[in-house]
């Protein structure tokens, strides 16, 4: 259901394929992370998407799911040799690498994640 | 939805979306792979970190036993995911 919403947004705003892919990756990875760490199952996670000044802006609110700063350094060593490469922990690293900016604020038991990605090209 | 086809010898093909909801199913199939293999991603639209984790865990196991794992025909978006996670330097990619 989340992805139908993203597909519709991408189509309405004529977003290029590269940017659309990054939007999907960011939403999927952040959402999955929030659900995974919501141990009491209380989180309500509304997502909004908008376009402003050639940028896609994604806002996710983690309501009641605890304080988890997704903008902080992940500590994942992606240059480690194969035996030392961790199996997990890549999601946030990937998002942080692909988007232009990611900000986090925790206030009143609500974590707000704002992700910005400039559109890469005009869609053909 | 992810479709995985394994011919029981060497060839695996992935199509659809390889996301967190499909990871457990994928892990069960990849657990049956015990020798060198080629994974065709021509019809794979999307892969998440969960999907990367399954591929990496499989590769580590196969590699430790002296086997190879080649990934082929990935689209440009998926290739970018491999690049930013530096997994393009871990896997043999065609």
């Amino acid at each position: 259901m989340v992805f139908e919403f993203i597909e519709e947004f991408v189509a309405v705003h004529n977003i290029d394929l590269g940017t659309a892919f990054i939007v999907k990756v960011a939403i999927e990875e952040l959402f999955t992370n929030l659900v995974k760490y919501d141990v009491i199952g209380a989180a309500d996670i509304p997502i909004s998407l908008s376009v402003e000044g050639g940028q896609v802006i994604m806002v996710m609110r983690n309501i009641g799911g605890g304080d988890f700063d997704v903008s902080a350094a992940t500590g994942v060593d992606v240059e480690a040799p194969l035996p030392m490469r961790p199996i997990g922990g890549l999601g946030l690293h990937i998002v942080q690498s692909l988007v232009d900016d990611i900000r986090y604020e925790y206030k009143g038991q609500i974590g707000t994640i704002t992700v910005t990605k400039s559109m890469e090209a005009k869609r053909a | 939805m992810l479709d995985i086809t394994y011919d029981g010898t060497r060839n695996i093909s992935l199509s659809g979306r390889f996301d967190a909801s499909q990871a457990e199913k994928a892990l069960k199939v990849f657990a049956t792979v015990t020798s060198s293999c080629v994974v065709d991603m021509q019809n794979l639209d999307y892969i998440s970190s969960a999907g990367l984790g399954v591929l990496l865990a499989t590769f580590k196991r196969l590699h430790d036993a002296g086997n190879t794992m080649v990934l082929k025909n990935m689209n440009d978006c998926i290739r970018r995911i491999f690049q930013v996670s530096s997994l393009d330097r871990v896997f043999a990619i065609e």
Side-chain angles (χ1 to χ4, degrees):
Chain A
M1 192 184 291
V2 174
F3 289 97
E4 285 168 11
F5 151 66
I6 299 173
E7 294 290 354
E8 197 179 308
F9 170 80
V10 162
V12 162
H13 291 281
N14 205 28
I15 292 171
D16 64 276
L17 294 174
T19 303
F21 187 81
I22 291 170
V23 170
K24 291 173 196 174
V25 168
I27 299 276
E28 153 107 22
E29 296 292 351
L30 291 171
F31 184 81
T32 301
N33 224 279
L34 292 178
V35 169
K36 190 162 76 173
Y37 291 104
D38 175 30
V39 292
I40 58 173
D44 179 19
I45 309 173
I47 302 169
S48 69
L49 294 171
S50 60
V51 173
E52 207 174 300
Q55 294 183 316
V56 175
I57 300 167
M58 301 162 253
V59 180
M60 301 178 76
R61 289 190 172 81
N62 184 15
I63 302 169
D67 184 7
F68 182 68
D69 185 358
V70 297
S71 67
T74 64
V76 170
D77 185 1
V78 296
E79 303 302 330
L82 181 61
M84 317 277 286
R85 283 295 297 256
I87 299 295
L90 281 173
L92 287 184
H93 170 83
I94 290 169
V95 174
Q96 290 173 1
S97 300
L98 290 176
V99 302
D100 295 341
D101 189 55
I102 180 167
R103 305 216 171 170
Y104 177 77
E105 181 186 49
Y106 189 73
K107 203 171 176 183
Q109 298 191 346
I110 299 175
T112 301
I113 301 165
T114 305
V115 180
T116 308
K117 175 71 186 87
S118 296
M119 290 192 271
E120 297 188 342
K122 283 190 186 284
R123 194 168 187 176
Chain B
M1 184 71 180
L2 176 70
D3 285 321
I4 309 178
T5 306
Y6 176 39
D7 69 3
T9 55
R10 181 181 174 78
N11 301 297
I12 299 159
S13 70
L14 302 175
S15 62
R17 289 178 47 86
F18 196 167
D19 60 28
S21 69
Q22 306 295 304
E24 199 175 320
K25 160 183 159 180
L27 209 48
K28 285 179 184 166
V29 175
F30 276 103
T32 67
V33 179
T34 55
S35 58
S36 294
C37 63
V38 177
V39 183
D40 189 344
M41 303 166 83
Q42 185 174 20
N43 295 312
L44 191 66
D45 300 319
Y46 176 89
I47 189 164
S48 74
S49 61
L52 293 179
V54 171
L55 293 179
L56 184 57
T58 303
F59 178 58
K60 279 190 173 192
R61 176 173 55 79
L62 293 175
H63 183 267
D64 287 349
N67 297 300
T68 62
M69 182 173 175
V70 176
L71 308 180
K72 56 189 254 188
N73 300 325
M74 60 177 68
N75 67 37
D76 289 343
C77 291
I78 290 177
R79 187 178 295 268
R80 197 162 170 192
I81 298 293
F82 276 81
Q83 287 167 345
V84 299
S85 55
S86 294
L87 287 176
D88 59 331
R89 296 183 222 168
V90 169
F91 288 97
I93 296 175
E94 292 177 5

